[in-house]
Amino acid sequence: MIIIEPRTEYALQLPDVVRNRAAAAGEREVKRQRTTFLPPLASMCCTVSVNESGEQVYNQHPQLTLEGTAAYNKMIALASFYGATGMTLEGLVGLIFAKKAMQEIPTSIEFMNDNADGRGGSLRDLAKKTVREILITPRSGILVARPSTVSGSSNLEVERQNLRPKLMHYRFEDIITWDYGVINNVEKLSFVVLREVVTVRTQFKIESEYQYRVLELIDGIYHQSVLNDSGGEITPATPVQVNGSLVDTIPFFIDDKGIDAKPALNELVDMNFHHYQVSADYNSKNHFSSFVIWYETGAGSSGQNMMMGNGVKWSNEQSEATFGVLQADGNADALRLSLQDDEQRMAALGAEALRPRGSGVESAEAKSLDKVAQNSTTADAAITASELITKALNFASLWMGGTEDAVYELNTDYNPTGMSAQDQLALFTQYQGGGISFQTYYENLQRGEVGNVERDWEEEKALIVNDNTGMES
């Protein structure tokens, strides 16, 4: 048996990833994890007993008591988790995918545009998964995998059996351990263990279990093996042939921010949970302070109980009797202001939809500056995902005997307005004067939402020639 131990970075960063995922999932997932994100009050884990001297003794327990559980259930029901993280995550992803990716897919792997993962998931679906992981976790990756083929199989046989390569996305939680080594004076990934979920069916009962895919360089050659959840060997380490040849590269393309780097939404998540805990205090105080408690002092016990309510007069024979109402101070302004402050901080950290809008007119410069941080974060995620997918596509193309000239670039222009007429004129003047090529000219028109993003520069130039406008060069 082989013991699979997570790498140190994995163990240290896993709690943060769990926290980020719950915040992105929203209130139901956060409340499902109960005390993980909303600690109970000390009184909810306390019991009182009497010792031999007749004194009361307070006993603190690590878990909720029976009475404490009821009180905690009430507190968590009153608490409200504001979906700022999920809203921001979907907003950033939406900005990136508001425009189609610029892509050039080699003919050998054109099928990946509609079926990248072998299960009918498109390249766009894969890109969305990758971007989300980059924004909320410190590590994710894409594996280029292909089922084994019989030596001498024709391309038609390969296609019929769907033995083509596929791009498999792995989340942070599934990248258990990894290592780098120097191969031919180049540092590259030399070892990685990936966790996978497989289903086992016994008649009508279906259960899920883990298996582990081990990718490693043995004597400089890429090998792959599969282990079960107990570390037993399912498939021994076997060299993997790529287009009929052994390779010295593990085709797992990983976005590794390192042990010190942190995902872009970490601060927003932390503020989101602080807001959640303050809301539990605020809503509990409002709830319990809304109930009145009636009291009487100095009254005799012989009188009849009186109905309490409007139009009822209390009376008693004893002159010293008093009646009144006890009511908790309902002033919760400090907590309410704390909630508002948290919402302002979340707005500054990226939850744009939470920020209160002023009545004054905001200048264009102010709007641009307001989006600088957001755009840089979003563009960085888009560029990183584009690089991972491009590398994976090129390796898949090589595996199919094609060329390594794939291009996949996600949108990094988040200006809602297209290119102005003034900018178009300046760009055309540069092109006309020979300062830039037609390819560069047209690519800029595409980014400015003037050129058709589904038509490349060569196709556009052919249309110009056909129209005989005199602009061909």
Side-chain angles (χ1 to χ4, degrees):
M1 293 297 179
I2 302 171
I3 305 300
I4 302 173
E5 292 190 4
R7 185 167 163 136
T8 302
E9 288 96 319
Y10 179 94
L12 290 174
Q13 294 170 332
L14 182 59
D16 287 343
V17 173
V18 171
R19 183 178 175 88
N20 289 2
R21 286 206 192 282
E27 179 167 308
R28 295 185 182 184
E29 177 60 24
V30 169
K31 289 189 173 182
R32 188 183 68 81
Q33 299 196 39
R34 292 177 63 79
T35 57
T36 302
F37 301 121
L38 184 60
L41 302 176
S43 60
M44 297 174 181
C45 302
C46 181
T47 57
V48 180
S49 60
V50 180
N51 62 18
E52 296 177 353
S53 304
E55 299 173 332
Q56 287 187 335
V57 178
Y58 294 90
N59 306 296
Q60 200 67 33
H61 305 281
Q63 304 293 335
L64 289 165
T65 63
L66 183 61
E67 294 81 3
T69 299
Y72 182 81
N73 289 341
K74 189 65 176 180
M75 182 175 73
I76 199 171
L78 292 169
S80 175
F81 183 82
Y82 207 3
T85 300
M87 186 192 311
T88 301
L89 178 61
E90 293 309 311
L92 297 181
V93 173
L95 280 176
I96 294 173
F97 290 91
K99 301 177 185 177
K100 288 186 177 181
M102 299 273 292
Q103 62 181 62
E104 295 178 15
I105 310 297
T107 305
S108 59
I109 56 169
E110 281 183 338
F111 63 88
M112 284 192 167
N113 198 42
D114 298 317
N115 187 11
D117 60 1
R119 297 180 177 179
S122 68
L123 202 55
R124 180 183 173 88
D125 295 333
L126 175 71
K128 282 189 173 182
K129 289 179 184 178
T130 305
V131 168
R132 283 192 177 94
E133 285 296 296
I134 289 170
L135 288 169
I136 64 174
T137 74
R139 191 173 303 103
S140 63
I142 299 173
L143 172 66
V144 185
R146 181 182 181 181
S148 301
T149 57
V150 178
S151 179
S153 298
S154 66
N155 289 337
L156 181 59
E157 289 172 330
V158 168
E159 188 169 343
R160 281 177 177 173
Q161 300 178 57
N162 195 27
L163 300 178
R164 302 174 296 192
K166 55 186 176 181
L167 307 185
M168 301 170 61
H169 180 264
Y170 287 83
R171 307 180 311 157
F172 169 91
E173 293 90 332
D174 300 323
I175 307 173
I176 305 300
T177 188
W178 63 96
D179 194 20
Y180 294 89
V182 177
I183 310 296
N184 296 327
N185 295 321
V186 177
E187 185 178 65
K188 59 173 61 177
L189 187 67
S190 60
F191 174 73
V192 62
V193 178
L194 304 173
R195 187 179 69 180
E196 301 172 346
V197 178
V198 294
T199 56
V200 179
R201 184 173 71 87
T202 306
Q203 292 185 336
F204 296 103
K205 183 180 181 181
I206 299 176
E207 296 180 304
S208 297
E209 59 184 37
Y210 289 128
Q211 70 177 24
Y212 297 86
R213 190 175 300 274
V214 181
L215 317 175
E216 55 186 326
L217 297 181
I218 301 177
D219 297 328
I221 301 300
Y222 170 42
H223 286 65
Q224 184 176 143
S225 60
V226 180
L227 309 177
N228 61 28
D229 200 19
S230 301
E233 197 173 72
I234 298 175
T235 303
T238 306
V240 180
Q241 289 194 350
V242 175
N243 194 26
S245 303
L246 299 175
V247 294
D248 61 356
T249 300
I250 296 175
F252 184 66
F253 303 98
I254 184 171
D255 164 42
D256 186 0
K257 299 181 179 68
I259 192 169
D260 296 324
K262 55 188 178 182
L265 297 186
N266 266 21
E267 283 81 5
L268 176 58
V269 170
D270 292 342
M271 190 56 59
N272 212 164
F273 278 115
H274 183 267
H275 183 275
Y276 174 51
Q277 293 177 8
V278 173
S279 83
D281 295 338
Y282 177 69
N283 292 335
S284 291
K285 180 175 178 62
N286 283 344
H287 174 74
F288 289 107
S289 65
S290 64
F291 295 97
V292 297
I293 301 173
W294 308 88
Y295 74 89
E296 60 179 8
T297 61
S301 59
S302 59
Q304 295 183 345
N305 291 329
M306 301 293 295
M307 294 295 295
M308 292 175 287
N310 291 333
V312 174
K313 176 180 180 295
W314 287 15
S315 62
N316 194 277
E317 297 176 353
Q318 300 183 20
S319 60
E320 67 272 18
T322 59
F323 304 89
V325 173
L326 288 176
Q327 187 170 7
D329 178 12
N331 185 0
D333 277 353
L335 292 173
R336 179 176 58 81
L337 292 173
S338 180
L339 288 174
Q340 291 177 352
D341 288 345
D342 283 353
E343 289 165 14
Q344 292 290 335
R345 294 185 185 106
M346 284 190 283
L349 289 168
E352 185 66 21
L354 296 179
R355 176 175 293 153
R357 296 296 179 185
S359 57
V361 177
E362 192 176 12
S363 69
E365 182 181 4
K367 289 180 180 178
S368 299
L369 291 173
D370 190 42
K371 293 184 178 294
V372 167
Q374 183 188 62
N375 284 355
S376 62
T377 297
T378 313
D380 182 67
I383 292 169
T384 301
S386 300
E387 291 174 348
L388 291 177
I389 294 172
T390 298
K391 290 176 182 177
L393 287 172
N394 277 322
F395 197 94
S397 178
L398 177 65
W399 209 328
M400 292 293 287
T403 57
E404 292 185 89
D405 53 3
V407 174
Y408 191 83
E409 294 180 2
L410 291 170
N411 169 44
T412 56
D413 178 16
Y414 312 122
N415 185 351
T417 60
M419 183 180 291
S420 67
Q422 184 178 359
D423 289 339
Q424 290 181 48
L425 178 60
L427 186 65
F428 177 72
T429 302
Q430 269 194 300
Y431 163 63
Q432 195 175 41
I436 57 175
S437 66
F438 180 81
Q439 180 177 352
T440 300
Y441 169 66
Y442 188 67
E443 286 173 350
N444 276 276
L445 289 180
Q446 287 176 314
R447 294 188 183 95
E449 301 182 9
V450 178
N452 189 335
V453 294
E454 296 183 357
R455 187 165 58 237
D456 64 28
W457 68 275
E458 292 176 325
E459 294 171 328
E460 181 70 19
K461 198 166 188 180
L463 288 176
I464 294 173
V465 172
N466 291 338
D467 288 343
N468 195 25
T469 61
M471 290 178 58
E472 64 268 22
S473 59

